[in-house]
Amino acid sequence: MNDTLVTLVGNAATRVEYRETATGGVARFRLAVTPRRFDRQKDAWVDGHSSFYTVRAWRTLGLNLASSVAVGEPLVVHGRLRVRDEDQDGQRRFSADVEAIAVGHDLTRGTSAFRRVMKANPSLTDSSPADPFLTAPPPTSPPPSTATSATSATAGTGGADVVAGGDEAAGARPGGAGESPGEGRGAAPAEPPAVAAAAP
């Protein structure tokens, strides 16, 4: 679709009217565009014939317009031009509307202070688990040590130690911690019989 884009520089001729519709909020006001020319006879700048445009702005732009623009303020309007041809009381009338894309104050006529509109961020209020910023990360365990770790646990009722860890897990053997590699492969050696002390 081919649109006719125009940029108008003028003054707000009426107050901004804002209302809610089924497709969103819309603001409407009249913009007066008055050209100025230099009159050589009067040796001064004079105003020419004023043209009036109906400006419409939708949704966020319309809402901001209603709280930012007053009657008589100089404006710059950029938008799509719509020319309507109507018959009223047997007379053919033409009217020009502008669907605004951007509207701002004309800073060649004065100063303006901009205030940003803060919007609620749904990601900051939604507690859905899918939100990566609200889901707590899983606890991280420290990396395993490169050295061979060994833990001893007491097994059975005999009090024998079982050594597990590293390569020694495959050859776990009963016995104390101080046994040599050659000991403990069979049954534990029997204690020598006690020698009775000779009577004096």
Side-chain angles (χ1 to χ4, degrees), residues 88-172:
Q88 295 181 357
D89 300 331
Q91 296 182 356
R92 191 175 183 181
R93 296 179 179 272
F94 294 91
S95 61
D97 297 348
V98 176
E99 183 180 341
I101 299 175
V103 179
H105 286 106
D106 183 4
L107 297 184
T108 62
R109 306 278 300 278
T111 61
S112 180
F114 178 76
R115 295 188 302 272
R116 186 178 300 276
V117 178
M118 302 301 295
K119 295 182 179 180
N121 190 349
S123 63
L124 299 180
T125 57
D126 185 12
S127 58
S128 173
D131 189 351
F133 295 99
L134 295 181
T135 305
T140 57
S141 57
S145 176
T146 55
T148 303
S149 60
T151 57
S152 60
T154 304
T157 57
D161 294 337
V162 178
V163 179
D167 296 336
E168 297 179 0

Side-chain angles (χ1 to χ4, degrees), residues 2-200:
N2 297 326
D3 292 328
T4 302
L5 299 178
V6 295
T7 301
L8 305 176
V9 180
N11 295 80
T14 62
R15 68 180 182 88
V16 180
E17 299 177 358
Y18 179 83
R19 60 188 179 90
E20 292 287 346
T21 64
T23 57
V26 58
R28 175 185 178 274
F29 71 99
R30 297 277 287 173
L31 181 73
V33 178
T34 304
R36 289 179 60 83
R37 62 182 180 85
F38 185 78
D39 191 342
R40 294 185 180 272
Q41 294 180 354
K42 297 180 180 180
D43 194 22
W45 289 91
V46 296
D47 294 338
H49 178 71
S50 297
S51 300
F52 292 86
Y53 299 85
T54 299
V55 179
R56 288 181 173 86
W58 292 86
R59 300 177 182 85
T60 303
L61 177 57
L63 184 61
N64 293 340
L65 272 176
S67 59
S68 303
V69 174
V71 178
E73 293 185 350
L75 301 174
V76 179
V77 178
H78 178 73
R80 302 178 182 90
L81 179 64
R82 302 282 189 264
V83 178
R84 295 186 299 173
D85 183 5
E86 299 177 347
D87 289 334
Q88 295 181 357
D89 300 331
Q91 296 182 356
R92 191 175 183 181
R93 296 179 179 272
F94 294 91
S95 61
D97 297 348
V98 176
E99 183 180 341
I101 299 175
V103 179
H105 286 106
D106 183 4
L107 297 184
T108 62
R109 306 278 300 278
T111 61
S112 180
F114 178 76
R115 295 188 302 272
R116 186 178 300 276
V117 178
M118 302 301 295
K119 295 182 179 180
N121 190 349
S123 63
L124 299 180
T125 57
D126 185 12
S127 58
S128 173
D131 189 351
F133 295 99
L134 295 181
T135 305
T140 57
S141 57
S145 176
T146 55
T148 303
S149 60
T151 57
S152 60
T154 304
T157 57
D161 294 337
V162 178
V163 179
D167 296 336
E168 297 179 0
R173 54 182 178 79
E179 293 179 349
S180 61
E183 296 177 355
R185 296 183 182 273
E191 297 181 359
V195 179

